[in-house]
Amino acid sequence: MSQRTLVLLKPDAVRRGLVGEIIGRIERKAGWAIVALELRTLGSATLEQHYGEHRDKPFYKPLVEFMSSGPTVALVVEGERVIEGMRALAGPTDPIAAASGSIRGDFGTIVRENLIHASDSEASADREIKLFFPGLR
Ligand SMILES: Nc1nc2c(ncn2[C@@H]2O[C@H](COP(=O)(O)OP(=O)(O)OP(=O)(O)O)[C@@H](O)[C@H]2O)c(=O)[nH]1
Ligand SMILES: [Mg+2]
Protein backbone atom coordinates (compact mmCIF):
# COMPACT_ATOMS: atom_id res chain seq x y z
CA MET A 1 0.00 0.00 0.00
CA SER A 2 1.87 3.07 -1.24
CA GLN A 3 1.18 6.22 0.79
CA ARG A 4 2.58 9.69 1.30
CA THR A 5 3.38 11.33 4.64
CA LEU A 6 4.56 14.76 5.78
CA VAL A 7 7.80 14.84 7.77
CA LEU A 8 9.28 17.88 9.52
CA LEU A 9 12.86 17.93 10.77
CA LYS A 10 12.27 20.34 13.64
CA PRO A 11 14.51 23.36 14.44
CA ASP A 12 16.56 21.36 16.99
CA ALA A 13 17.47 18.78 14.33
CA VAL A 14 18.57 21.51 11.90
CA ARG A 15 20.52 23.45 14.59
CA ARG A 16 22.30 20.29 15.74
CA GLY A 17 23.34 19.27 12.22
CA LEU A 18 21.27 16.08 12.21
CA VAL A 19 19.51 16.65 8.87
CA GLY A 20 21.86 14.38 6.91
CA GLU A 21 21.71 11.65 9.55
CA ILE A 22 17.90 11.65 9.65
CA ILE A 23 17.38 11.90 5.89
CA GLY A 24 19.92 9.08 5.49
CA ARG A 25 17.75 6.84 7.66
CA ILE A 26 14.70 7.66 5.54
CA GLU A 27 16.60 7.03 2.29
CA ARG A 28 17.82 3.65 3.52
CA LYS A 29 14.26 2.30 3.90
CA ALA A 30 13.77 0.09 0.83
CA GLY A 31 11.51 1.59 -1.79
CA TRP A 32 10.71 4.85 0.01
CA ALA A 33 11.34 8.07 -1.91
CA ILE A 34 11.49 11.75 -1.03
CA VAL A 35 9.08 13.51 -3.42
CA ALA A 36 9.28 17.06 -1.96
CA LEU A 37 11.81 18.83 0.28
CA GLU A 38 12.27 22.41 1.48
CA LEU A 39 14.13 24.33 4.20
CA ARG A 40 11.85 26.97 5.69
CA THR A 41 11.14 28.87 8.89
CA LEU A 42 7.53 28.24 9.88
CA GLY A 43 5.24 31.15 10.70
CA SER A 44 2.45 31.23 13.27
CA ALA A 45 -0.32 30.87 10.65
CA THR A 46 1.12 27.59 9.35
CA LEU A 47 1.79 26.31 12.87
CA GLU A 48 -1.71 27.18 14.09
CA GLN A 49 -3.12 25.01 11.31
CA HIS A 50 -0.53 22.27 11.69
CA TYR A 51 -0.86 21.91 15.48
CA GLY A 52 -4.48 23.13 15.78
CA GLU A 53 -5.52 19.96 17.63
CA HIS A 54 -3.28 21.04 20.54
CA ARG A 55 -4.47 24.69 20.72
CA ASP A 56 -5.92 24.34 24.24
CA LYS A 57 -3.07 22.31 25.74
CA PRO A 58 -0.58 23.87 28.21
CA PHE A 59 2.38 23.00 25.97
CA TYR A 60 0.89 24.69 22.88
CA LYS A 61 2.46 28.16 23.17
CA PRO A 62 6.03 26.97 23.91
CA LEU A 63 5.61 24.36 21.16
CA VAL A 64 4.76 27.04 18.57
CA GLU A 65 7.59 29.27 19.82
CA PHE A 66 10.06 26.41 19.52
CA MET A 67 8.79 25.36 16.09
CA SER A 68 9.26 28.91 14.76
CA SER A 69 12.69 29.40 16.43
CA GLY A 70 14.69 28.50 13.34
CA PRO A 71 14.48 26.74 10.02
CA THR A 72 12.73 23.41 9.63
CA VAL A 73 13.18 20.89 6.82
CA ALA A 74 9.79 19.86 5.44
CA LEU A 75 9.58 16.78 3.27
CA VAL A 76 7.06 14.45 1.74
CA VAL A 77 8.03 10.78 1.76
CA GLU A 78 6.28 8.23 -0.44
CA GLY A 79 6.30 4.46 -0.19
CA GLU A 80 4.95 1.26 1.27
CA ARG A 81 3.07 1.88 4.57
CA VAL A 82 5.13 5.03 5.02
CA ILE A 83 2.70 6.69 7.49
CA GLU A 84 3.06 3.91 10.06
CA GLY A 85 6.70 3.37 9.09
CA MET A 86 7.80 6.98 9.61
CA ARG A 87 6.11 7.04 13.04
CA ALA A 88 8.08 3.88 13.92
CA LEU A 89 11.34 5.39 12.62
CA ALA A 90 10.71 8.53 14.72
CA GLY A 91 9.72 6.70 17.92
CA PRO A 92 7.21 7.84 20.56
CA THR A 93 6.74 11.52 21.49
CA ASP A 94 8.88 11.36 24.68
CA PRO A 95 12.50 10.75 23.59
CA ILE A 96 13.44 9.23 26.96
CA ALA A 97 10.74 6.59 26.50
CA ALA A 98 11.73 6.03 22.85
CA ALA A 99 13.82 2.95 22.09
CA SER A 100 17.41 3.23 20.92
CA GLY A 101 17.43 2.81 17.17
CA SER A 102 14.58 5.28 16.72
CA ILE A 103 15.40 8.88 15.82
CA ARG A 104 13.93 10.33 19.01
CA GLY A 105 15.46 7.53 21.10
CA ASP A 106 18.92 8.00 19.65
CA PHE A 107 19.13 11.81 19.69
CA GLY A 108 16.54 13.34 22.05
CA THR A 109 15.97 13.94 25.74
CA ILE A 110 13.30 16.68 25.86
CA VAL A 111 9.64 16.13 24.88
CA ARG A 112 9.33 19.48 23.09
CA GLU A 113 12.66 19.16 21.27
CA ASN A 114 11.98 15.74 19.83
CA LEU A 115 13.60 16.33 16.45
CA ILE A 116 10.96 15.14 14.01
CA HIS A 117 7.29 15.23 13.11
CA ALA A 118 5.54 12.59 11.02
CA SER A 119 1.84 12.53 10.10
CA ASP A 120 -0.17 10.23 12.36
CA SER A 121 -2.90 9.01 9.94
CA GLU A 122 -3.97 9.11 6.28
CA ALA A 123 -6.31 12.03 7.04
CA SER A 124 -3.52 13.99 8.79
CA ALA A 125 -1.08 13.22 5.98
CA ASP A 126 -3.50 14.51 3.32
CA ARG A 127 -4.21 17.68 5.30
CA GLU A 128 -0.55 18.37 6.19
CA ILE A 129 0.82 17.71 2.69
CA LYS A 130 -1.74 20.20 1.28
CA LEU A 131 -0.73 22.72 3.96
CA PHE A 132 3.03 22.48 3.33
CA PHE A 133 3.16 21.63 -0.39
CA PRO A 134 -0.09 22.87 -1.97
CA GLY A 135 1.33 22.55 -5.50
CA LEU A 136 2.56 18.94 -5.19
CA ARG A 137 1.00 16.47 -7.64
N1 LIG B 1 6.27 20.07 26.71
C1 LIG B 1 5.45 19.15 26.21
N2 LIG B 1 5.37 19.05 24.88
C2 LIG B 1 4.53 18.15 24.40
C3 LIG B 1 3.74 17.31 25.22
N3 LIG B 1 3.00 16.50 24.43
C4 LIG B 1 3.35 16.86 23.17
N4 LIG B 1 4.26 17.83 23.15
C5 LIG B 1 4.89 18.46 22.00
O1 LIG B 1 3.88 18.67 21.02
C6 LIG B 1 4.18 17.93 19.86
C7 LIG B 1 2.90 17.42 19.27
O2 LIG B 1 2.33 16.49 20.17
P1 LIG B 1 1.67 15.14 19.62
O3 LIG B 1 1.02 15.40 18.30
O4 LIG B 1 0.84 14.58 20.72
O5 LIG B 1 2.96 14.19 19.48
P2 LIG B 1 3.58 13.52 18.18
O6 LIG B 1 2.51 13.20 17.19
O7 LIG B 1 4.46 12.41 18.64
O8 LIG B 1 4.52 14.67 17.64
P3 LIG B 1 4.38 15.50 16.28
O9 LIG B 1 4.85 14.54 15.23
O10 LIG B 1 5.28 16.69 16.45
O11 LIG B 1 2.94 15.87 16.07
C8 LIG B 1 5.15 16.84 20.32
O12 LIG B 1 6.00 16.39 19.30
C9 LIG B 1 5.92 17.57 21.39
O13 LIG B 1 6.94 18.37 20.78
C10 LIG B 1 3.85 17.46 26.63
O14 LIG B 1 3.20 16.76 27.40
N5 LIG B 1 4.72 18.39 27.06
MG1 LIG C 1 1.25 14.70 16.33
Side-chain angles (χ1 to χ4, degrees), residues 50-51 53-54 87 93 104 117-120 128:
H50 180 69
Y51 280 132
E53 63 176 311
H54 299 307
R87 296 283 291 186
T93 309
R104 287 165 169 173
H117 161 81
S119 307
D120 63 12
E128 293 169 1

Side-chain angles (χ1 to χ4, degrees), residues 10 51 54 59 63 87 93 104 111-112 114 116-118:
K10 297 182 178 185
Y51 280 132
H54 299 307
F59 60 79
L63 171 65
R87 296 283 291 186
T93 309
R104 287 165 169 173
V111 174
R112 182 161 49 243
N114 61 1
I116 184 164
H117 161 81

Side-chain angles (χ1 to χ4, degrees), residues 5 7 9 15 19 25 32 52 63 78 90 97 108 117-118 121 123:
T5 193
V7 173
L9 310 187
R15 266 196 290 274
V19 169
R25 291 179 181 212
W32 287 5
L63 171 65
E78 182 176 273
H117 161 81
S121 65

Side-chain angles (χ1 to χ4, degrees), residues 25 89-92 94-109 114-115:
R25 291 179 181 212
L89 214 63
D94 178 357
I96 294 293
S100 295
S102 68
I103 292 161
R104 287 165 169 173
D106 283 349
F107 302 117
T109 48
N114 61 1
L115 299 135

Side-chain angles (χ1 to χ4, degrees), residues 36-58:
L37 184 148
E38 189 182 299
L39 181 80
R40 76 166 88 150
T41 301
L42 305 180
S44 51
T46 300
L47 284 165
E48 273 165 31
Q49 290 187 64
H50 180 69
Y51 280 132
E53 63 176 311
H54 299 307
R55 196 168 292 131
D56 299 325
K57 309 233 173 90

Side-chain angles (χ1 to χ4, degrees), residues 8-36:
L8 299 175
L9 310 187
K10 297 182 178 185
D12 56 331
V14 177
R15 266 196 290 274
R16 291 172 60 196
L18 292 169
V19 169
E21 167 72 38
I22 295 171
I23 287 181
R25 291 179 181 212
I26 297 170
E27 287 184 307
R28 292 201 294 271
K29 290 292 281 188
W32 287 5
I34 294 166
V35 297

